[in-house]
Amino acid sequence: MTNDNQPSLSQGRLADEEVIDLQQYWRTLMRNKWGILGFALAVTALTVLVVFSMKPIYRATATLLIESQQANVVSIEEVYGLDNSNSEYFLTQFEIIKSRRLAEKVVNKLSLQEHPEFNQEPLVSFNWRDMLPVELPGDEADVSEVESERVALNKFIDGFSSRLAITPIRKTQLVKISFEANDPKLAAQVANAIGQAYIENNLEAKLEVTMQASSWLSERLGGLKAEVNAAEKALQDFLDAENLVGEEGGTTIANKELELISSKHIEAKRDRLNLESHYNQIQAAKGSIRLYELVPGVLQDRTVQEFKRQLLEVELKRSDLAKRYGSKHPSMMAVQSEVANARNSLNSQIKSVINGIKSDYQAALASERSLEKALSRTREGLQVLGRKEYKRKELENEAESKRVVYDTFLQRFNETNATGDLNSANARIIDPAVVPVLPEKPKKKLIIVAAFVASLMAGVVFAFLLEALNNTIQTARDVESKLSATLLGILPLLKQDKNNPNPSYREFVESNHSSFAESVRTIRTGIVLSALDNPHKVLAVTSTMPDEGKTSVAVNIAFALGQMEKVLLIGADMRRPAFNKALGIDRHAIGLSNFVAGTAKLEECIQHFEKGGIDVLPAGTIPPNPLELLSSKRFAKALELLEKGYDRIVIDTAPSQSVSDAMVISPLVGGMIYVVKADSTTYQQAKAGIKRLKDVNAPLIGVVLNQVNTKKASKYDGGDYGGYYDTYGYTEDSKNLA
């Protein structure tokens, strides 16, 4: 059962909060309704004066058709640099229509600078340079006449362009050209002139582009022709200088020569290798005839073989004769002579063959070396020819490429000249502008209504902005919602005059039946009811900052409690003692500091205030460090002594955000009262002061909202808290009812 009710209760609270927020917004509007309405009416009245003093402005509109394609005999879009087949083309044309160049043409064509509408003197003329005692650099005197005329023309064109509007019609090739002027005829004339100027400008631009392309191509052709001639001459000079003939510059002949020499070199090398073995064997024989005979070349020589046969025959003959004759026989001696001759002939022949083999080897070696040198020279010559051939091809390619470029430009030049006279307009006016009958603006009724609504909304926003920026404590609700503290009561703001600058000090005593006195008694009741079983015997009154009225609250609470009990009022604010003057006590009177220091007796320090029926212990002589005095054990003992002689003790302490006196006293008191000045103290400051007290566990009873403008506060709290103020006759309505 209980769980089912919880969602509904929560929803009810949320609904109440939303209703309260809406009511708060409504009350904010009601509080500022006359200011909002007055601001709106003032702005509207000013708007009416301005609107009815404005000249009527007429708008004339001409419709222009921009064609995206044109008939081209030869495709030369590349020369023109245009591709009008996409949407960017139309956007470009719209910007051209709005260009300064086109506007300047129309201005000059229609002589608009001399038109009366553009030569009206301004109602107010102001030039800050005229107010200076000296001329600054850049003044009109330093500008030449031509430059000043150009500056004036630029300003005129800026003003002219601000009246011009170009509006394309979606998904069509149509564009509307509108112009605004005080003269309806002028508006129509300018709108049509803009369209016609665009058509003429387009034709001129195309002709100019064609002429520029033709001129550029002509100049370029001359340069290209010279480059072609230079390239061909460089090629021919190279061929003549290097003696190159034929298609490949002689490399074919050189290759064939290289092949022939290579084959000859191989044959010579083979012959040399064949002879080299015989030569090496001869060298190894070291002149020995018998070893020479073993050389293959010697063995194969027929002459040597013949001499060997003859030697053998003589040897055989000698052998036969030796069997028959002795060595001294003439026949033997003749045969011996024949053998010696045959041997000498054989040796001579062998040496001759050996010498021939050596000569053949030397000749073969010389031939091989000669062919190697020739082969090397041929290769080097072929490499030189290769480099020359590479350079020749490079020069040929360069000459060919330049000729191709020249032929291409020549063809394009002929095409451009052929199409130079085929320029046609790509736009036309299909709906000329007519002279308007009714003005386009100002729309007086709409402007006045809009001004009233806008100023009304601005007033509302400004009212809410002021409300949001106001972060002070203003109402009883603010104490509970923003400070999360208990409200003991409120004290209304009393009227001040020169004779009585602080009426709140004696209001309770002198006007005991006033609403202020009744409010003080309400606070007294709250204090008493906050601790019935264990009454707060010692009370301390503090605030956030100075000048919030904490001293007057302490004095009036002491007066109210004094009607019921024996009360002592102590001035513990030794920084800025205030109630000495309020209660008519001498500012140099001895008091609390003297008693705690032991320089005076208690009877000498306490004074009796007959009107309020209370005793007063003023601050006394101001000590150099009040915080040390209040935190001393002597002060605690003095307070214990005073508690024995009084039913209630009310202490006026220093502000909690200024000094730490209140935090030091808090452990010695039974209750603390926090004073907040309405519509002055910000809730952040008050909340910080209360937090400082709570951090030291100060016994905070509640908050007194002081100096409340009851009439204004009743508007803030509305129906929810209005009765709170009316209970004691604070508001004018309650006074009238009384």
Side-chain angles (χ1 to χ4, degrees), residues 18 20-30 464:
E18 290 179 0
I20 291 172
D21 289 340
L22 293 176
Q23 290 176 349
Q24 183 67 25
Y25 297 152
W26 177 253
R27 284 193 293 270
T28 301
L29 292 177
M30 290 299 100
F464 281 114

Side-chain angles (χ1 to χ4, degrees), residues 203-244:
L203 292 173
E204 292 175 0
K206 289 183 178 181
L207 180 60
E208 183 180 355
V209 169
T210 302
M211 296 303 295
Q212 289 178 353
S214 179
S215 176
W216 181 79
L217 288 173
S218 178
E219 294 177 1
R220 189 63 179 143
L221 279 173
L224 290 175
K225 180 61 176 176
E227 292 178 3
V228 171
N229 294 335
E232 292 179 347
K233 185 177 184 304
L235 175 60
Q236 188 61 44
D237 292 343
F238 176 76
L239 294 176
D240 294 341
E242 301 296 337
N243 295 320
L244 298 179

Side-chain angles (χ1 to χ4, degrees), residues 666-667 692-700:
S666 61
R692 291 193 69 187
L693 295 175
K694 289 183 177 180
D695 289 342
V696 296
N697 297 320
L700 185 64

